[in-house]
Amino acid sequence: MKIVGVAACTVGIAHTYIAQEKLEGAAKKAGHEISMETQGTIGTENELSAEQIAEADIVILATDVKLNNRERFDGKRIIEVATDIAVKSPNKLVKKAEEVLAQKQ
């Protein structure tokens, strides 16, 4: 499964990057490809390309604030959660993504 995602918390420092790291670790552990963008105090980092988004099976948005350019994900299967969910339960979140895709088929 190919996952793309965005992490963004209200302050844009700690939880943004912790959520990114936790989701990347959980997805890789489960054997999936993942690319994560962060939107924080220093702006957007690791910005997802149109190609990455197009190839993704699912999008995970771990956010506490309004995202920049959210319309890029229109038409994709999206799971949207608060950053603390991604930080505390990344494995469950990846499992939920697997379940959502299984329902699609």
Side-chain angles (χ1 to χ4, degrees):
M1 172 170 63
K2 288 187 179 183
I3 303 167
V4 295
V6 180
C9 71
T10 53
V11 178
I13 302 174
H15 279 92
T16 298
Y17 299 102
I18 295 168
Q20 172 197 12
E21 290 176 15
K22 295 279 190 172
L23 282 172
E24 286 174 343
K28 289 175 183 171
K29 180 180 172 186
H32 304 302
E33 292 180 40
I34 186 167
S35 298
M36 289 292 299
E37 171 180 304
T38 57
Q39 294 183 12
T41 55
I42 60 173
T44 299
E45 295 182 278
N46 305 315
E47 187 168 359
L48 297 167
S49 69
E51 183 178 348
Q52 287 173 305
I53 295 167
E55 291 177 354
D57 298 306
I58 197 157
V59 177
I60 297 177
L61 303 178
T63 63
D64 301 320
V65 294
K66 185 179 179 203
L67 284 184
N68 296 324
N69 302 317
R70 190 184 191 286
E71 67 279 356
R72 299 176 290 164
F73 306 111
D74 288 352
K76 302 298 287 185
R77 289 203 174 259
I78 298 173
I79 296 175
E80 194 161 2
V81 298
T83 55
D84 67 325
I85 300 295
V87 170
K88 294 176 184 173
S89 303
N91 295 317
K92 287 182 182 177
L93 191 49
V94 170
K95 184 72 174 163
K96 179 174 175 72
E98 293 170 346
E99 291 168 359
V100 167
L101 280 181
Q103 291 172 1
K104 178 183 172 182
Q105 298 172 1

